[in-house]
Every structure is written in structure tokens, then in C-alpha cells.
Amino acid sequence: MRSSLFALAAVSAVLIAAPALAQDQSGAASPATNAPAEQTLRLDDLDATRINPNQITIEFEYDGGACEQVGPAEVGELVDGTLAVTFPTISTAEVCTMQVVEIEVEQTIEAEHIVSRVDVTLTRPDGSVLATGTTDVDHD
């Protein structure tokens, strides 16, 4: 009788824990690396404004680390009026707290008059994608 109670308790515990074990593990540490899974964010308040026939100012915000800054924009390919622009982040300290701060970016780039849209990619120091966004170019 006593062993039946223990068996019933064990089966009940497994049935109760099963839904929790089966939940989506996104954002959880990868078993092989013990590092959090990386996710791509959307850039906040992304704007692109043409300031003259050959230049566009790109502005956006994102939640980043207290010890990072955004480097100079890298202009990529122009395809059907859409210009690819990459903003690399740079680590400003070897050791840093995990404090999250809002980082505002505003940079002016060279861009032909035929550019009507920008496809912006923000990359981590290791080159992986941190955030993306696309917007039309407004005329000032």
C-alpha cells in the first residue's frame, strides 16, 4: 500500500511538472554554450531625412549596454532605391555592468538623390545583428 502511494505521488509530480518542462525555451541559455540566445530587436523611432541632394540624416534609438557606443555608419548596396546602412556597436570597456540604457543615434551619410528608402542594421561588436529597421527617406 505504501509503495503504491509513493508511485502515485511520483507519477503526479511528473504530470504536474511536464507542462513547465515543455514550455518554449526561447531566451534560455543554450546548453552547449551557456550563453543566452540572441534575438534581433527593432530600432525605435527610425527616421531618415534628406538634408541635401547628396546626404541623408538617419536617426534612431535602441536599448543597449551602458558600455557601448555606435561607430560610424557603413554604407552598403543600393537596390531599387533602397540603401543598406550598417551601424556597428563598439564596446567601450572590457568589464561592464549589465545596465541597459537608451542609446540615441544621429548620423549623416552620403546618399545619392535616387535613394528613397534605407534598410538599417545595427550590429554587435562580434558582427552579429542586434537590431534592424526600414524607413522611407523624408525630404526636409
Side-chain angles (χ1 to χ4, degrees):
M1 176 77 170
R2 196 173 244 173
S3 64
S4 296
L5 288 174
F6 285 125
L8 182 61
V11 168
S12 296
V14 168
L15 291 176
I16 290 171
L21 294 174
Q23 285 183 352
D24 180 24
Q25 297 294 320
S26 62
S30 166
T33 63
N34 288 333
E38 294 179 355
Q39 65 181 30
T40 301
L41 306 173
R42 298 290 308 159
L43 297 170
D44 295 330
D45 299 326
L46 175 60
D47 290 312
T49 305
R50 180 161 299 283
I51 58 171
N52 65 46
N54 298 313
Q55 292 182 315
I56 295 172
T57 297
I58 299 173
E59 301 175 63
F60 60 88
E61 300 169 353
Y62 73 99
D63 291 333
C67 298
E68 71 184 45
Q69 67 183 28
V70 176
E74 299 169 358
V75 177
E77 284 190 48
L78 174 63
V79 178
D80 295 329
T82 300
L83 181 64
V85 183
T86 300
F87 290 85
T89 58
I90 302 164
S91 179
T92 59
E94 286 186 33
V95 178
C96 189
T97 64
M98 296 297 287
Q99 182 180 2
V100 175
V101 296
E102 183 178 82
I103 298 175
E104 296 179 11
V105 177
E106 180 178 341
Q107 291 188 27
T108 299
I109 62 167
E110 297 294 321
E112 298 177 43
H113 67 280
I114 59 173
V115 174
S116 59
R117 192 166 178 80
V118 291
D119 186 13
V120 177
T121 301
L122 181 68
T123 59
R124 294 180 177 90
D126 67 3
S128 64
V129 175
L130 175 60
T132 60
T134 302
T135 190
D136 291 330
V137 176
D138 297 325
H139 295 275
D140 195 21

